[in-house]
Amino acid sequence: MITPTQAIMVALAAGNLLLGLAWLSARDDAATARAELVSMQEQRDGALKGAQACSDATQALGTAAAQRAAEAEPARAAAAGQAAALNARADYTLSRQPAAGDSCAALQVLGADWLKRRVKP
């Protein structure tokens, strides 16, 4: 039969065993949590680097767009001037009354007028 002292010793050993298992489990959980924390921090750092790279690229694109717009301004102004002259010519052509008779004759008259202005004596 088991004596009370032996029963206490068995109970203490079982308690120590359970306490040791609980401590090992807590240690493993803490190690897992630390590893997950490191992984999450690395993911965060990667996301921050990606966001910063995107921000830098967006800023560089804005700078390049502003520079190209400034470089293209003279060409835009020249094109606007040419467009104004061509628009005036189109308005003149459209305002002309067709010659009496057929439309072909009216266009021939407009073409002849245009050629006279193009030829410089």
Side-chain angles (χ1 to χ4, degrees):
M1 181 151 213
I2 299 179
T3 65
T5 304
Q6 291 174 333
I8 292 174
M9 291 298 277
V10 167
L12 287 174
N16 282 341
L17 178 65
L18 290 175
L19 185 62
L21 291 175
W23 183 86
L24 289 174
S25 176
R27 182 197 66 182
D28 293 344
D29 291 345
T32 301
R34 276 192 299 273
E36 289 176 358
L37 176 64
V38 168
S39 174
M40 288 180 194
Q41 287 173 336
E42 289 171 353
Q43 289 176 6
R44 180 206 59 204
D45 293 344
L48 287 173
K49 286 178 184 175
Q52 185 62 47
C54 182
S55 178
D56 293 345
T58 302
Q59 186 176 6
L61 285 174
T63 302
Q67 180 181 357
R68 288 181 182 167
E71 290 170 356
E73 187 56 38
R76 273 195 212 103
Q82 287 177 340
L86 293 173
N87 286 338
R89 174 67 183 146
D91 289 342
Y92 168 76
T93 302
L94 293 172
S95 70
R96 297 287 308 248
Q97 294 296 322
D102 64 42
S103 296
C104 186
L107 290 175
Q108 286 175 346
V109 169
L110 284 175
D113 288 347
W114 180 75
L115 286 173
K116 285 178 191 173
R117 282 193 302 277
R118 293 218 13 134
V119 175
K120 296 187 180 182

